[in-house]
Amino acid sequence: MRLTILGGGGFRVPLVHRALLADAVRGDAPISEVVLYDRDAARLRAIGAVLGRQRDAHRAAHGEPKLTVRAEADLAAALDGTDIVFSAIRVGGMAGRVLDERVALSAGVLGQETVGAGGISYGLRTVPVADRIARTVAERAPGAWVVNFTNPAGLVTEAMSAVLGDRVIGICDSPVGLGRRAARALGLDPREVSFDYAGLNHLGWLRGLHAGGRDRLPDLLADEAALTSFEEGRLFGAAWLRALGALPNEYLHYYYMAREAREAVAETVAGGGPTRGEQITAQQREFYRDAAGRPADAFALWDRTRLEREETYMADNRRAAGGVERAEEDLDGGGYEKVALAVMRAITRDEPARLIVNVRNRGAISGLDDDAVVEVPSLVDASGARPLAAGALTAHQSALVHAVKSAEREVLAAVRTGSRTPALRAFAFHPLVDSVTTARTLLDGYLAAFPELREVLPRP
Ligand code: G6P
Ligand code: MN
C-alpha cells in the first residue's frame, strides 16, 4: 500500500518514517511505499536528509528497508491512486503562524495557533486549501483514507468531511497523552484503561478512566500527590480538577486560566521575547538551513531541535501556572506518530481499535448535529472510524463546545460564501474574544496581514 504525506517537509515526518520502518521489520507492514509532497523543496530536502540517516541506521541493523520513499512535486500525481493520505500542512508557513499570533496579541486577545482568534484566522486561511485537497483526493484516489493532522484539526476535518464524508479522520495526540499520564499517575498500564473522553479538538475532557471493572477517576481526584504528578494536574491544580470533576485537555488552560494564559504570552512578547511561532522558527532555522548540505549531521541536528521544541512546548502556560516542569516522558514527541500509526494499522489491517479521533458526530454527543466533527473514542477498523456513544456532556461542557462549534461553523460559512460577515461572527462568537469591537479589529487586522485572506473573503 502507498502512503502519501502532504507536508512531507514537515518537522515531524521523521517520527512517522521511524515508526513505519519499525513496522517494516516485522515483515507484515501494509505500507510499502511513501510519497512525500511539499510545496517547499528546500524543507523537503532537509527532511529527506534525516530520512536518509534513518534508513542507513535501519540498513545497518536489519538490511535494506522494505519501504521505499520518494518525493513528488505535483499534488495530483502525489495523490493518484494512493491508499492513505496523511495531511499535515501549514498554510502560510511559520510566518503565517506568527501573524496569527501577533495580530491577536495587538488586539489584546490570546495569540495561539489553534485556540481563539489565532485559530480562526488560521482556519479561514486553511479551509480553502483543505477543501482543494479533499476534492483532489476524491478525484484521484476515491478509495483512500485521509488522516488529518492539519490544524485547527477539528475544523479542518469537518471542512474535508463535506467532500470526503467519513473517509477523513482527524487526529491529535493530546487526548491520548492526557489519558496516558492520568493512567500512569494511578499506577495503571494505559493499555488496560478505557478512557471516557469527549469534546472537540483541543476542547475536551477526560470524564472517566475505566479499569478492572470500575471508574478510577474518583480515586485520582482524591489523591493529591497522584493528581499533581503529571502535567495537566499541575497546570490546572488539584482544587480546580476536583471542583470540575473531570480532567481537561491541556488546551483548556487557555479557557480556564484565560487571563493568566493570555497575559503570560503578552508578557513574553512585551519583554521582547518570541511568540511560539517565532520560537519554533528560531529553533528550526539552523536545521532547515543546514541539514541538506550536511547530511551526515542531519539526524543529530533534527533530534536536538526536536527535543528543544518539546522542552519549550506551552512554556508560557506552564509559567502562568507557577512554573510547571515538563516530565521526562513527555519529551518524546507526545506520541504524535503513534496515534497516526494506530489509526493506519486499524484501517489497513482491519484490526479493530478503540481510538480517540475526530469524526462526524452521528449521535455520539447528544445535542450536536450528525455532521459536527467531534473528538471522541471511536471504533476504527477497515470500514473507518465510528464514534462510540459518549455519555452526555455536562451543561458547562456542552455550552463551551457549542460556543466554539458555532464559531467554527461561521468560519466554514465565510469560506463557502466568500463573505466577511460570517467571519466577523466567528471572531465575535468565540468565548475568548470579549467584544464585537475587538472582533472587528481582528478581522481587519488579519485581512491587512494576509493578502490571501482578502481573496478568500472578497465580499462584505
Ligand atoms: C500538540 C498538539 C498539536 C500541535 C503540537 C505542536 O501535539 O496537539 O496540535 O501541533 O502540539 O505544538 P507546537 O507549539 O510545538 O507547534
Ligand atoms: Mn492537536
Side-chain angles (χ1 to χ4, degrees):
M1 284 183 154
R2 190 194 314 154
L3 166 69
T4 298
I5 304 184
L6 306 179
F11 193 75
R12 284 167 148 188
V13 167
L15 296 172
V16 175
H17 181 243
R18 178 175 68 189
L20 289 171
L21 281 178
D23 250 21
V25 173
R26 287 193 286 275
D28 60 343
I31 303 297
S32 54
E33 187 186 357
V34 176
V35 175
L36 303 176
Y37 169 82
D38 203 291
R39 294 181 40 173
D40 188 329
R43 284 171 67 89
L44 201 49
R45 278 195 297 276
I47 289 297
V50 180
L51 305 193
R53 293 291 73 72
Q54 291 178 312
R55 299 174 73 77
D56 290 345
H58 182 97
R59 220 170 264 123
H62 311 281
E64 189 56 29
K66 294 191 188 68
L67 178 77
T68 64
V69 179
R70 68 183 165 88
E72 178 57 72
D74 177 67
L75 176 66
L79 292 172
D80 208 25
T82 201
D83 301 291
I84 307 244
V85 180
F86 280 3
S87 181
I89 60 168
R90 188 177 279 287
V91 177
M94 271 299 171
R97 178 172 184 174
V98 171
L99 288 173
D100 290 335
E101 296 165 336
R102 287 273 173 186
V103 170
L105 289 169
S106 312
V109 296
L110 173 74
Q112 208 281 332
E113 66 160 345
T114 64
V115 175
I120 291 173
S121 167
Y122 192 20
L124 286 168
R125 208 166 63 245
T126 305
V127 165
V129 179
D131 182 64
R132 213 151 50 231
I133 290 171
R135 284 175 205 286
T136 314
V137 171
E139 203 184 298
R140 298 299 188 112
W145 292 95
V146 177
V147 179
N148 178 60
F149 304 94
T150 299
N151 271 327
L155 169 62
V156 169
T157 301
E158 187 162 320
M160 295 181 96
S161 74
V163 179
L164 296 168
D166 298 317
R167 298 196 81 84
V168 57
I169 300 167
I171 65 168
C172 178
D173 55 350
S174 62
V176 69
L178 168 61
R180 187 182 61 211
R181 290 186 281 272
R184 285 190 186 145
L186 279 163
L188 298 169
D189 178 345
R191 286 169 304 188
E192 271 144 36
V193 179
S194 167
F195 299 104
D196 174 8
Y197 183 94
L200 305 180
N201 178 238
H202 292 185
L203 189 85
W205 296 264
L206 183 59
R207 301 136 357 131
L209 289 109
H210 299 269
R214 63 190 191 90
D215 181 11
R216 301 290 309 276
L217 182 60
D219 299 346
L220 182 55
L221 291 173
D223 183 340
E224 174 104 23
L227 203 49
T228 50
S229 71
F230 64 103
E231 185 149 325
E232 286 84 352
R234 289 193 294 264
L235 262 183
F236 296 102
W240 175 237
L241 296 181
R242 283 183 190 137
L244 197 57
L247 304 181
N249 182 291
E250 58 195 329
Y251 281 80
L252 271 157
H253 193 256
Y254 292 115
Y255 294 83
Y256 289 141
M257 275 73 191
R259 183 186 298 261
E260 295 86 343
R262 185 200 63 217
E263 282 173 358
V265 181
E267 200 180 281
T268 299
V269 169
T275 65
R276 179 63 172 158
E278 288 161 348
Q279 183 177 51
I280 293 175
T281 306
Q283 287 172 358
Q284 298 183 353
R285 185 170 296 128
E286 188 188 354
F287 165 74
Y288 277 114
R289 190 192 60 208
D290 296 350
R294 283 164 49 197
D297 305 330
F299 183 85
L301 251 178
W302 172 79
D303 202 43
R304 192 176 76 208
T305 308
R306 180 189 66 80
L307 201 64
E308 207 181 327
R309 180 174 179 172
E310 292 300 338
E311 273 163 1
T312 52
Y313 176 70
M314 283 203 177
D316 285 325
N317 299 52
R318 285 185 279 116
R319 184 162 47 81
V324 171
E325 299 276 327
R326 287 221 91 182
E328 195 67 39
E329 68 209 44
D330 296 327
L331 300 178
D332 66 359
Y336 166 93
E337 74 287 5
K338 292 189 195 89
V339 181
L341 268 284
V343 168
M344 206 171 65
R345 281 191 198 113
I347 288 178
T348 55
R349 294 182 169 153
D350 199 14
E351 279 170 12
R354 186 182 187 276
L355 302 168
I356 299 169
V357 292
N358 289 265
V359 283
R360 293 201 290 190
N361 183 38
R362 288 166 280 171
I365 296 182
S366 61
L368 274 177
D369 60 87
D370 288 350
D371 293 338
V373 165
V374 294
E375 194 167 80
V376 290
S378 304
L379 191 71
V380 189
D381 60 20
S383 50
R386 276 156 295 158
L388 299 165
L393 297 177
T394 65
H396 154 68
Q397 293 163 346
S398 178
L400 212 43
V401 160
H402 278 272
V404 171
K405 184 54 80 180
S406 73
E408 289 183 2
R409 288 277 164 86
E410 296 296 346
V411 170
L412 296 174
V415 173
R416 198 177 57 242
T417 60
S419 36
R420 296 174 185 189
T421 304
L424 173 67
R425 283 197 297 263
F427 288 112
F429 287 176
H430 199 285
L432 295 182
V433 175
D434 56 0
S435 156
V436 173
T437 313
T438 307
R440 242 181 231 114
T441 306
L442 287 164
L443 178 57
D444 292 345
Y446 285 121
L447 285 167
F450 291 103
E452 63 268 46
L453 194 56
R454 299 199 284 277
E455 279 167 43
V456 174
L457 306 174
R459 276 181 287 285

